[in-house]
Amino acid sequence: METIDYRAEDLSDARFVVSPLGHLIHGVHDGPCSRHSPWRRRWWTRARRQVSASSGRLIPLINRAHPDAPAFLPLAIAGPDPAPAFEQELDQLRATPPHLLGFRLATAAARTDDADRLIRGLRNQEDAAMRAVVDGLLALYRAALMPDWPEISQRLHRDVAAHQRQEQRTGTQAMLTNLHPDIAWRAVGEPALGSLILSPCLFGQQRAHAGPGSDGSRVVIYPAAEPDPGGPGGPADDHLAALLGPGRAAALRALRTPSSTSGLARRLAISVPMASTHAALLRNAGLVATTRDGKSVRHELTPVGQQLVELNP
């Protein structure tokens, strides 16, 4: 049970954040919380095949953290954007004092020479060590999570929308009380405790986690209310996602209405570069046609792409 202190004033500052960086860290962390998530099992079984020795070099560092949750997970979830792009979260992590990240990681038990060397660099405030962490996370994200993030993000946004509807009906305090049975809320007085960030997670279904963010916020990572992915209506029934991958399948379906690259990014709640990558891969497969008018582009389904979507709505 995770007990979280709050003041009455904090309730007005409670907000949701859907975090790709938080999911990446939780997803590759082989702890009991992640192992009990059917979503994480299915995703990691497939995604780990795409991870090379170079793109996966941070996995030992992530897995040396506390056995129940990565030590620096809350540091990755901050900032004002409720649906940040992965690059925005890397900027947030890059702005974190290196020694703070090094301290969080140094408290863990698992040890490897490379991880120890990197942690020493962080604790010594070495910019090169922080760059290695940021570059390593970016490589891991591109290899493992980026193709699937649109599908995962959509499910997380549905969870957030459900809690926001409850908040409108019953108030913030009642919504927080029903957020997850693993969380207990305790009202306290002064001093100020900082803003409250609520972040749903598909990859950690065993329990909730709370911790301080790098900006003084308090981050609560809670299991998203989602069905087993192998059940009816889940990805196991999605033949288009099985063929193209969840991310590209979501992009193809989104282009039932033609769109620019930035418009596609907004529809899928992803970054513009990621939307451009999806569109290029679908174009190379003959499923999407792209026309250019000056600096703007327009993506639309080809007849083959249209037929695939109609057969797999």
Side-chain angles (χ1 to χ4, degrees), residues 26 65 69 274 287:
H26 214 153
M274 188 189 302
L287 305 178

Side-chain angles (χ1 to χ4, degrees), residues 17-263:
V17 172
V18 172
S19 170
L21 180 51
H23 269 77
L24 178 70
I25 294 171
H26 214 153
V28 303
H29 182 257
D30 190 30
C33 185
S34 297
R35 288 191 211 119
H36 283 83
S37 165
W39 273 96
R40 190 265 183 180
R41 275 199 307 272
R42 291 176 63 88
W43 169 77
W44 188 230
T45 298
R46 183 181 67 253
R48 69 191 310 166
R49 300 174 192 149
Q50 311 303 320
V51 178
S52 64
S54 59
S55 62
R57 64 183 182 274
L58 277 193
I59 293 178
L61 181 71
I62 294 171
N63 276 294
R64 70 170 286 142
H66 187 279
D68 208 24
F72 64 103
L73 184 57
L75 295 177
I77 305 172
D81 196 329
F86 187 80
E87 292 79 5
Q88 289 176 267
E89 292 193 294
L90 283 184
D91 288 340
Q92 175 69 37
L93 190 63
R94 192 181 287 111
T96 301
H99 73 275
L100 177 59
L101 179 54
F103 174 77
R104 296 272 182 97
L105 291 167
T107 59
R111 311 187 68 83
T112 67
D113 290 342
D114 288 342
D116 286 341
R117 203 160 29 243
L118 193 54
I119 289 169
R120 282 196 300 271
L122 291 169
R123 299 193 74 178
N124 291 332
Q125 297 282 84
E126 296 175 7
D127 291 339
M130 181 59 86
R131 280 198 304 273
V133 170
V134 171
D135 292 346
L137 288 171
L138 181 59
L140 185 57
Y141 172 72
R142 287 173 172 169
L145 184 61
M146 188 173 77
D148 299 325
W149 180 245
E151 168 74 12
I152 293 169
S153 175
Q154 287 175 4
R155 295 179 179 275
L156 295 170
H157 280 291
R158 285 200 290 269
D159 177 90
V160 169
H163 287 299
Q164 289 174 332
R165 287 193 296 270
Q166 182 188 4
E167 184 178 19
Q168 291 172 355
R169 291 194 307 268
T170 63
T172 303
Q173 189 166 2
M175 181 273 292
L176 291 176
T177 301
N178 293 306
L179 189 66
H180 192 266
D182 191 45
I183 304 173
W185 299 89
R186 181 172 60 195
V188 297
E190 299 292 340
L193 297 173
S195 61
L196 183 62
I197 295 176
L198 310 171
S199 187
C201 186
L202 279 178
F203 289 168
Q205 290 290 307
Q206 184 70 2
R207 55 159 296 188
H209 309 283
S214 59
D215 58 354
S217 59
R218 288 169 300 140
V219 179
V220 179
I221 302 154
Y222 68 91
E226 277 293 316
D228 188 314
D237 295 330
D238 190 343
H239 302 299
L240 189 60
L243 177 66
L244 301 176
R248 286 184 288 279
L252 192 70
R253 289 181 172 121
L255 289 174
R256 283 177 289 193
T257 301
S259 174
S260 65
T261 304
S262 58

